[in-house]
Amino acid sequence: MNMNAEFQRLNNNGQKSKNREKILEYSEISLQIIYIDFQILVICTGLSGEAYSFISRKDVTKILWESVAVHQYIENFYNFKTETNHSNQSSSKNIKEKPSKEKLAESLKDLGKLLFQNIFKDEILDLFNVTIGQSIKNGQDILIRLMIGSDFLNIVPWELFFEKERYLCHIYDIVRHPFS
């Protein structure tokens, strides 16, 4: 074997090792969210095990209503900007109250807290905390993979998980993955 071929072989093996390392840069936790009989089943899997829980009918209803309310508030917020830019300002009776950024931010935060409290509880919270500990120990980032098993649950902005005065999406990578 000539020197160039040997160098190429060693270089390719080194490249494969680097690619394997890239794959393992994340500690991943997967959340399958499935609507069953007016409840939501949450199945959580990670490197250290799996856990599941149910979100009650009452909490499912609250999550759905709050999600719709946030979507409507966002729509009103941006429609107000568009309407005020295009409307005739001569009639003060037709001017709506401007939606506030502060109220929108508070609504998003409240929904994020509700989502976190209902998804990350009991064994799922334990599994999540173990994953965080392992990722810190191994110097890895955390990937939260969401798999939404019911189409209408896609209206819920699950990525807004909020805990300890911060959004998890500001700290960890959160992705929606097709449910198969």
Side-chain angles (χ1 to χ4, degrees):
M1 184 182 266
N2 69 29
M3 286 296 267
N4 284 337
E6 182 64 16
F7 178 77
Q8 187 66 30
R9 185 184 67 77
L10 290 172
N11 194 28
N12 286 342
N13 285 340
Q15 201 60 20
K16 288 177 185 175
S17 295
K18 286 180 185 176
N19 289 341
R20 274 191 221 115
E21 288 173 14
K22 285 212 179 281
I23 291 171
L24 299 176
E25 284 181 4
Y26 286 101
S27 288
E28 183 175 321
I29 191 159
S30 295
L31 296 169
Q32 296 178 31
I33 301 170
I34 307 163
Y35 185 77
I36 302 174
D37 294 330
F38 305 105
Q39 298 180 73
I40 293 176
L41 169 63
V42 180
I43 302 169
C44 178
T45 56
L47 290 174
S48 50
E50 61 183 52
Y52 72 92
S53 69
F54 281 94
I55 300 175
S56 71
R57 181 181 203 160
K58 177 182 143 199
D59 289 332
V60 169
T61 302
K62 187 172 183 181
I63 287 169
L64 292 173
W65 278 108
E66 292 295 322
S67 296
V68 169
V70 163
H71 282 285
Q72 289 174 338
Y73 198 85
I74 291 169
E75 185 176 328
N76 290 340
F77 184 81
Y78 286 102
N79 283 342
F80 179 84
K81 283 185 169 184
T82 305
E83 287 173 10
T84 51
N85 289 341
H86 297 299
S87 69
N88 182 353
Q89 297 291 329
S90 62
S91 173
S92 62
K93 291 181 182 178
N94 293 335
I95 297 176
K96 297 182 206 176
E97 182 181 332
K98 178 183 177 185
S100 75
K101 288 180 184 178
E102 292 78 18
K103 183 164 177 3
L104 175 58
E106 193 63 34
S107 297
L108 293 171
K109 188 185 294 186
D110 290 344
L111 179 57
K113 287 177 184 178
L114 179 66
L115 293 171
F116 185 88
Q117 291 165 355
N118 280 281
I119 295 289
F120 294 98
K121 59 184 177 183
D122 304 326
E123 291 87 14
I124 292 177
L125 182 59
D126 293 341
L127 185 60
F128 181 62
N129 287 329
V130 167
T131 301
I132 291 171
Q134 288 175 341
S135 71
I136 291 170
K137 179 182 171 192
N138 297 329
Q140 298 172 319
D141 292 331
I142 294 177
L143 174 66
I144 301 172
R145 184 177 308 278
L146 301 172
M147 293 175 276
I148 313 301
S150 305
D151 286 340
F152 80 94
L153 289 178
N154 281 312
I155 194 169
V156 178
W158 300 100
E159 296 83 356
L160 287 178
F161 295 130
F162 190 87
E163 187 215 18
K164 296 180 183 172
E165 296 306 311
R166 61 186 183 202
Y167 290 99
L168 294 188
C169 64
H170 290 174
I171 304 165
Y172 312 120
D173 293 328
I174 300 178
V175 297
R176 286 192 189 214
H177 191 271
F179 192 83
S180 52

